[in-house]
Amino acid sequence: MDITVAVDAMGGDHGTHVTVPAALRFLRDNPDVNIVLVGLVDAIAAELKAHHAVTHPRLRVHPATEVVTMDESPQSAMKNKKDSSMRVAINLVKSGEANACVSAGNTGALMATARFVLKTIPGIDRPAIAKLMPTMKGQTAMLDLGANVDSTPLQLTQFAIMGSAMFAALKHVDAPTVGLLNIGSEDIKGNEVVKEAAEMIRKTRLNFHGNVEGNDIYRGTVDVVACDGFTGNVALKASEGLVKMISTFLKEEFTRNLFSKFVAVLAMPLLKRFKSRLDPDRFNGASFLGLRGIVVKSHGGANKNAFYWALSQAVEEARSGMIQRITEQVQQELLHLNAAVESTVD
């Protein structure tokens, strides 16, 4: 089945200089994908011309007259820029002209606009930002990563359900293990919200492992890690900083003197494999789960390669039927949860 992706061509720190060449490369590698570049027509045309791709059979340009800046408030973007490249791209998903939308634009504005245009899946209070993280055993889906600073026990349960459905759809796992991020694995640990969430998740049919700690994320202890957006965002940013620090330290040591440079040449194959496994570009692309459509957020400072991988994430989600899987599992699990709560009360 052919997949069409609407790209907010103006979004991010670099705009068309990243989005257009990344889209062209993705089209070369994926003959069953179509791309709609949304944004200022002249800017997109100039970039296409620079890459000798004025026309392409699987690419079209959809005009938008406004651009949401990276520091613009979500309220301003929603109220004052109804013809922004971001909003028009999301509208294409709503209308069915595109299967997914990818943007490197302002995160708050993108979430607010996507929620307003697409609406949430029945049974979901708030969308969550989810991301596949590399682990010692493969990958782990983690959510929420910043959309919701405060979350109720029910919302954490909803995150767990959506994360389980996402991982099942993308990784073809029947019953993904789910963990609740906490300061300890024991049931007595954590604040009251997390304790109540754990009890609630146990009443669902999810494959609930229980509480997990921060070091369990990269051990791959569970397939899905659920948490509130404040905790998840801190964990994500700390992880990104650690990877950057390790990379910097390695570069410094291998360029310290002539002998170190010689050793670096010998170790180059190993270093390339190491970089490939931890390359942040390959893990660019966070999903807005809980919406009635696929929206993938690329890092604002993403380069061409990183944006390419965000496109890949969007296409994989569209092909997997992830939205339908989440919708069905949310309805089933919440019905089961309500029945379990009612039987407990009785």
Side-chain angles (χ1 to χ4, degrees):
M1 144 179 150
D2 284 359
I3 301 295
T4 299
V5 180
V7 174
D8 170 14
M10 315 308 299
D13 296 339
H14 311 293
T16 56
H17 299 309
V18 161
T19 57
V20 172
L24 291 172
R25 177 189 159 200
F26 197 81
L27 287 173
R28 287 195 299 269
D29 295 345
N30 297 272
D32 58 346
V33 172
N34 303 289
I35 288 181
V36 182
L37 294 173
V38 182
L40 306 181
V41 173
D42 290 344
I44 296 173
E47 193 66 29
L48 287 171
K49 184 177 180 180
H51 291 274
H52 309 289
V54 177
T55 61
H56 192 288
R58 290 181 289 112
L59 182 147
R60 68 181 178 92
V61 177
H62 192 100
T65 60
E66 298 170 311
V67 177
V68 175
T69 61
M70 295 301 281
D71 58 352
E72 194 163 353
S73 73
Q75 293 79 10
S76 173
M78 287 277 295
K79 181 179 179 181
N80 302 320
K81 293 187 175 178
K82 297 180 180 180
D83 197 46
S84 69
S85 56
M86 178 184 292
R87 184 156 180 170
V88 173
I90 296 171
N91 283 337
L92 293 178
V93 175
K94 181 181 180 181
S95 68
E97 294 178 67
N99 303 100
C101 164
V102 179
S103 174
N106 181 318
T107 303
L110 183 65
M111 175 60 84
T113 303
R115 185 176 181 181
F116 177 78
V117 172
L118 297 176
K119 312 304 180 188
T120 55
I121 290 170
I124 295 299
D125 294 341
R126 299 178 183 175
I129 300 176
K131 189 178 181 69
L132 291 172
M133 313 280 280
T135 73
M136 294 167 65
K137 297 181 180 178
Q139 291 183 328
T140 289
M142 188 171 174
L143 70 163
D144 178 28
L145 295 178
N148 306 283
V149 175
D150 297 307
S151 301
T152 66
L154 178 58
Q155 287 161 358
L156 287 173
T157 302
Q158 292 171 1
F159 298 164
I161 295 170
M162 292 193 295
S164 177
M166 174 192 186
F167 196 89
L170 297 180
K171 300 301 177 182
H172 310 290
V173 176
D174 290 334
T177 53
V178 177
L180 188 63
L181 192 60
N182 203 342
I183 57 172
S185 59
E186 301 87 353
D187 293 340
I188 61 171
K189 293 289 183 70
N191 57 36
E192 291 306 312
V193 171
V194 173
K195 290 178 183 177
E196 290 180 32
E199 289 302 313
M200 194 172 290
I201 296 172
R202 286 191 181 93
K203 291 183 173 69
T204 69
R205 295 171 300 178
L206 297 179
N207 186 6
F208 187 46
H209 171 88
N211 292 327
V212 294
E213 299 180 74
N215 56 5
D216 286 306
I217 298 171
Y218 296 104
R219 286 177 180 171
T221 302
V222 292
D223 298 318
V224 179
V225 175
C227 59
D228 64 75
F230 183 93
T231 306
N233 191 266
V234 170
L236 175 65
K237 295 298 172 60
S239 303
E240 291 174 346
L242 177 62
V243 170
K244 188 172 292 185
M245 183 187 74
I246 291 173
S247 299
T248 300
F249 283 0
L250 282 172
K251 185 176 181 179
E252 288 175 354
E253 292 304 321
F254 278 117
T255 57
R256 188 171 295 277
N257 51 47
L258 187 60
F259 178 74
S260 297
K261 292 178 181 178
F262 174 72
V263 173
V265 173
L266 295 178
M268 193 58 66
L270 183 150
L271 292 172
K272 286 183 177 180
R273 292 197 299 272
F274 177 78
K275 181 182 178 182
S276 177
R277 294 181 71 178
L278 288 179
D279 185 2
D281 286 358
R282 295 179 63 87
F283 296 94
N284 181 47
S287 307
F288 288 0
L289 296 191
L291 299 172
R292 302 185 190 188
I294 295 170
V295 177
V296 171
K297 170 67 172 73
S298 165
H299 196 288
N303 57 30
K304 301 169 190 176
N305 188 52
F307 197 83
Y308 176 99
W309 285 103
L311 292 171
S312 180
Q313 177 72 20
V315 170
E316 186 179 5
E317 290 181 6
R319 283 181 176 148
S320 71
M322 186 186 75
I323 298 298
Q324 181 179 354
R325 180 99 182 218
I326 292 175
T327 302
E328 292 173 353
Q329 189 158 344
V330 165
Q331 292 172 350
Q332 293 168 4
E333 292 299 340
L334 291 182
L335 282 173
H336 183 81
L337 176 60
N338 290 336
V341 171
E342 288 175 5
S343 64
T344 302
V345 173
D346 293 340

